Amino acid sequence: MAELAVLEDPKVRKVNEKHGDDHGVNLGKLRALAKRLKTQQDLARELWETDDTGARLLAILICRPKAFERDELDTMLRETRAPKVHDWFVNYVVKKNPYSEELRLAWRTDPDPVVASAGWALTAERVAKTPEGLDLAGLLDVIEAEMKDAPDRLQWSMNHCLAQIGIQHAEHRARAIDIGERLEVLKDYPTPPNCTSPFAPVWIAEMVRRQHER
């Protein structure tokens, strides 16, 4: 914790706080610290218990993802306040855990929209990598009915899933683009130059174009 305090940079914190992340540690320096510590599951658990955002990000980097039990992951997800902790926890821990599919199904319909957003993030991953057994048309039905009025983080994950269906599955592409165009979710999202807009019709078109260029 003392080392993390030394790494705290007020300028970094000011930028991060605009995104809801209450920490000021440069992520490159955080990764360097994690590399030095290597995997330490017990220390990771202790760091998580501090409820400090920087410490939790470090915990995610040094933990052993497969060592967590299902209920432990569920509890930890519900404790993730900061968006960066939530994002890293889902991507670096849950996706590598044997219970990820079970949790995906449980979380996707959870009444807490932040928890549900994790379920949709895991669903987007499956759409892209292991779509066998997924009801893609059914997912589009839910997105069409619920995405427009969903809270921000849930809406973002549902939109990601919509885009992945359109990008990866040509047979559903026209419908995915149509849903995106009608709902107009993230249509006006500020996108830096040389970055792809998260607006699904634009995102789908750009990624499909790149696929054809390979």
Side-chain angles (χ1 to χ4, degrees):
M1 294 304 290
E3 278 196 66
L4 286 171
V6 171
L7 293 176
E8 180 77 19
D9 183 333
K11 290 178 184 173
V12 174
R13 176 176 282 270
K14 194 172 180 181
V15 172
N16 287 336
E17 283 181 342
K18 289 179 182 175
H19 305 289
D21 291 310
D22 55 345
H23 77 94
V25 181
N26 175 284
L27 295 182
K29 291 178 180 177
L30 191 76
R31 289 180 187 279
L33 176 57
K35 194 172 182 181
R36 198 184 81 227
L37 290 170
K38 299 188 170 65
T39 302
Q40 295 192 47
Q41 182 70 2
D42 290 342
L43 176 58
R45 282 196 167 101
E46 287 182 50
L47 287 167
W48 187 271
E49 290 302 318
T50 65
D51 193 28
D52 176 82
T53 295
R56 284 188 164 180
L57 290 172
L58 182 60
I60 289 166
L61 293 175
I62 66 168
C63 76
R64 190 174 291 108
K66 292 179 180 176
F68 294 105
E69 294 299 322
R70 180 199 183 284
D71 290 348
E72 194 174 11
L73 290 174
D74 184 72
T75 299
M76 290 170 77
L77 182 86
R78 295 172 193 278
E79 293 171 346
T80 58
R81 297 171 293 98
K84 180 66 75 178
V85 175
H86 177 94
D87 186 48
W88 277 24
F89 184 71
V90 172
N91 284 292
Y92 298 166
V93 181
V94 181
K95 284 181 181 178
K96 298 176 182 177
N97 185 278
Y99 293 103
S100 62
E101 176 61 12
E102 198 175 313
L103 289 167
R104 179 187 78 81
L105 293 168
W107 287 343
R108 199 168 65 78
T109 55
D110 195 275
D112 182 333
V114 176
V115 175
S117 75
W120 279 97
L122 293 170
T123 302
E125 173 90 351
R126 268 208 63 192
V127 166
K129 295 184 176 176
T130 54
E132 298 79 16
L134 287 179
D135 176 9
L136 297 178
L139 289 173
L140 289 174
D141 289 342
V142 177
I143 291 168
E144 186 171 21
E146 299 178 12
M147 182 171 74
K148 180 83 172 175
D149 299 317
D152 288 352
R153 278 156 80 176
L154 176 54
Q155 186 183 68
W156 186 272
S157 290
M158 293 178 90
N159 184 70
H160 185 194
C161 190
L162 173 67
Q164 287 295 352
I165 292 173
I167 293 162
Q168 305 292 343
H169 303 278
E171 70 277 20
H172 295 286
R173 187 168 297 148
R175 186 180 174 206
I177 291 170
D178 177 63
I179 290 170
E181 285 174 344
R182 281 187 290 106
L183 299 186
E184 297 187 335
V185 167
L186 301 175
K187 186 176 183 178
D188 300 319
Y189 191 83
T191 305
N194 303 319
C195 289
T196 304
S197 168
F199 179 47
V202 174
W203 188 356
I204 292 166
E206 174 59 18
M207 299 312 289
V208 171
R209 182 187 68 76
R210 290 184 198 178
Q211 287 173 357
H212 288 315
E213 283 183 356
R214 283 180 197 155

